Amino acid sequence: MKILVAIKRVVDYNVRVQVKPDGSGVATDGVKMSINPFDEIAIEEALRIKEQGKANEVIVVTIGSNDSQQQLRTAMAMGADRAILVESNAAVQPLQAAQVLLQVIEQEQPGLVITGKQAIDDDNNQTPQMLATLWNRPQATFASKVEFIEGNKINVTREVDAGLETIQVELPAVVSTDLRLNEPRFVKLPDIMKAKRKPLDVKAIADMVAAPKGQAIEVLKYEAPQARQKGVMVETVDELIEILKDKGLVS
Amino acid sequence: MSKVLILAEHNGSQVNQSTAKVLTAAKQMNAASIDVVVFGNDAGLAPQVAVLNGVSQVHYVQCDDNHDQLAASIAPSIAQMGKNYSHVFGPSTTFGKDVMPRVAALLEVNQLSDVMEIIDANNFKRPIYAGNAIITVKTDTTQIVATVRTASFPADKSTDGQATVTESALTTAATHTSFVQLASGNSDRPDLQTASKVISGGRGVGSEENFEIVYNLADKMGAATGASRAAVDAGYVPNDMQVGQTGKIIAPDLYMCFGISGAIQHLTGIKDAGTIVAINKDGDAPIFEVADVGLVGDLFKIIPEMMEKL
C-alpha cells in the first residue's frame, strides 16, 4: 500500500506574524518557513505505518511555489520515499487544492491519505474533508490514534469537543491529524544528504487541473486584531477578590 | 434576500448551545427566512429548536445507528437541501468543522471558516494565523457555506418561536464509515464551552493529582474547568479540557487561569472572555499582557487562600 501525505509550507509556528501597515497582507519577507506542524505529524504517522510493515511507500505532495521544495526535502529527510511538487505561484484555496490532490490520487492510487487537519496560516480546516468528498471516500478528521484492523479497515480515535470519539472507516480513506497523534522525529544530518538524492517530481498546476471548479473567496482587507487592554497587577488575594466582587463575578 | 439553513448540533438528546449562537449570527444578515436542519434519533430534538424565535422551519431528519454525527452520512443530505438556500451555516465546533467542508465541496464552493463578524450577506470577517490577523472576505456564490465562530456571537435565548417541523428519514447513510464509541470526561461541572466562569490550569499545576485543587476552586465558584495544551500533553487532564487554537474557543464572563504562561495558541482561545485573571509565579509570563487582573505568586498558596476567603 502507498500512503500519500499532503503538506504545506507555512510561516513557522514560532513566528508572530504582523499585518502589513497598508492592510494588503501579512509580512512574510525574510520570515522563517516550515512544514505546517499538523502536516509534520502526518508525515510521522505515515512513516510509522510503513515501519510497521503496513505500507511500502510514503509519497509526500505539496502545492505551492518552487521554494516548497525545501519542505519536501525535509519530509524526505524524515523518511518519505519521494515527493511531488505541484507548482503554483498564486495562493490556492481549499476546494482547488482538493481537486489537485484528487488528480495526484488518481495517478498514484494510494491506500491512505494523511494530512494535517488545518494549515496554521489560513486556519481553514477544509482541504482533507473536501478531498475525501471529491474522492467519494471516508474521512477521519482530527485523529489522535490510527489503528489497523482486519479487512482493510482502520479505527481512528478523534479529538472532538465531547472527548475522544472512535470511528471505523474502510480504506482507502483520508485521515487528518491532530496534535496528539504522535511526536515527529528529528531529522539527522546524514538523512538530509540522502534526501537530496530522492526523487522530486515537479508538475505545473495548470497541467493537473486546467479549469478548477469553484470561485475563490476574495480577501478585501487584512487587519491586526483588537488588542486587549493591559490590566492591573494586584499584590494580594484580598485585592483580587475585591476586584472580582466589584465586577459582580463572585459573590 | 437571504435564505439561511443552519445545521443544528446535539449530543443525542440535547441541542447544543452552538445552534442558538449560529442563529444569532444568521439574524444579523436580516435574512428573509432561517430554517434549521436536525439529524437525530430522538424526536425531542426538533421542538428544542422550534421554540427559537426567528426560525421558520425545522427539518428533522431521522437517523439510525448514530449516523446523525457522521459527516459522510449527513453532508450529502445537507448539500441537497442547501440548494434551496443562499447560506448554509454550521457551528465552528469539531462537529461543524468535520461536516461543513463536505457540504461546501458538494456545492462546489470554498467554505468561510470561523466567521467572527457578519458585515452583510456577502461580506464577513474571520481570523487567520491563530487570530494574529483578521481578514475581511467577500463571496457571492449562489450558496455560501460557512462555519460560525461560536465565541463571537451570544446564544439566542428566545423561547417564543413557533417554527413548523417537517420530518423525513436519512437516505444518504454512508456504508464505509461507522461510529464505534465516544469516551468523554463525564464531569458534573458546567460545560466548558457555555459556562459563564472558567477556571483553568497549565503546566504550572504540575501533576494530575495537583489538578484537584483547581477542580475544588471551580466547584466552589460554580465554574467549568479548562487547561492549556501543555497540561493536556503532560497527561494531567483529558483533551476535552483544552482551550486554544486547536482546542476550544471560549468566551466566559470570567476566565481565571493558574500556571498558564500564555502561548499565543492559548490566548486565541480566550480573547473574547469578559475578564481574564492570571495567576502565575513568573511575573514575565505573556499571560499578564492580556490579563485584566494579574497576580504573581504560587498557585498552591493562592488557591487555598481563595477557597478560604470566597
Side-chain angles (χ1 to χ4, degrees), chain A residues 113-126:
Chain A
V113 176
I114 313 180
T115 185
K117 72 169 180 179
Q118 71 193 71
I120 59 164
D121 50 4
D122 292 333
D123 281 335
N124 270 316
N125 196 334
Q126 298 178 29

Side-chain angles (χ1 to χ4, degrees), chain A:
Chain A
M1 180 179 80
K2 287 184 193 174
I3 302 178
L4 182 71
V5 180
I7 70 170
K8 187 178 183 185
R9 170 187 166 93
V10 298
V11 172
D12 187 83
Y13 81 102
N14 284 311
V15 174
R16 186 153 193 172
V17 300
Q18 302 282 344
V19 175
K20 290 180 188 170
D22 65 357
S24 64
V26 297
T28 53
D29 287 350
V31 162
K32 186 185 178 199
M33 304 296 285
S34 298
I35 298 175
N36 176 43
F38 293 102
D39 298 339
E40 209 179 351
I41 293 169
I43 298 164
E44 177 66 34
E45 194 64 16
L47 296 175
R48 289 186 189 188
I49 293 168
K50 186 186 165 191
E51 285 158 5
Q52 287 163 21
K54 298 197 167 72
N56 49 29
E57 191 179 30
V58 174
I59 306 157
V60 59
V61 59
T62 193
I63 306 168
S65 67
N66 200 268
D67 292 335
S68 305
Q69 288 202 23
Q70 294 164 10
Q71 280 66 40
L72 293 172
R73 290 288 173 202
T74 304
M76 288 191 286
M78 285 175 74
D81 297 289
R82 59 188 172 93
I84 301 165
L85 167 62
V86 180
E87 201 171 341
S88 167
N89 289 318
V92 170
Q93 294 194 359
L95 184 60
Q96 192 187 357
Q99 291 171 71
V100 171
L101 293 175
L102 183 65
Q103 283 304 307
V104 177
I105 285 174
E106 282 175 3
Q107 288 162 11
E108 300 289 348
Q109 300 290 323
L112 179 61
V113 176
I114 313 180
T115 185
K117 72 169 180 179
Q118 71 193 71
I120 59 164
D121 50 4
D122 292 333
D123 281 335
N124 270 316
N125 196 334
Q126 298 178 29
T127 305
Q129 296 90 315
M130 288 182 161
L131 177 60
T133 308
L134 300 182
W135 193 16
N136 206 15
R137 294 303 309 166
Q139 70 190 32
T141 53
F142 326 142
S144 66
K145 191 173 170 194
V146 176
E147 222 176 345
F148 280 75
I149 50 171
E150 40 192 79
N152 207 30
K153 288 177 180 173
I154 51 175
N155 275 354
V156 179
T157 303
R158 309 176 54 231
E159 298 217 8
V160 297
D161 292 334
L164 295 171
E165 182 194 66
T166 306
I167 62 171
Q168 188 172 96
V169 299
E170 278 173 26
L171 299 179
V174 177
V175 169
S176 86
T177 60
D178 217 318
L179 287 170
R180 278 173 283 274
L181 181 58
N182 60 49
E183 277 186 42
R185 66 196 64 189
F186 290 103
V187 172
K188 296 186 210 79
L189 190 62
D191 295 327
I192 295 174
M193 305 309 290
K194 226 164 33 184
K196 289 185 177 159
R197 294 190 299 273
K198 289 184 177 177
L200 194 164
D201 194 8
V202 181
K203 299 167 191 268
I205 193 166
D207 294 341
M208 299 291 286
V209 180
K213 287 182 204 151
Q215 189 180 312
I217 290 170
E218 192 184 346
V219 182
L220 301 178
K221 189 172 77 175
Y222 291 73
E223 59 193 310
Q226 276 191 326
R228 284 186 78 98
Q229 302 253 313
K230 193 170 159 54
V232 296
M233 297 299 288
V234 295
E235 301 286 331
T236 64
V237 169
D238 291 328
E239 282 178 80
L240 171 60
I241 290 175
E242 187 83 356
I243 293 175
L244 295 179
K245 281 186 175 160
D246 279 354
K247 290 178 180 252
L249 293 166
V250 297
S251 47

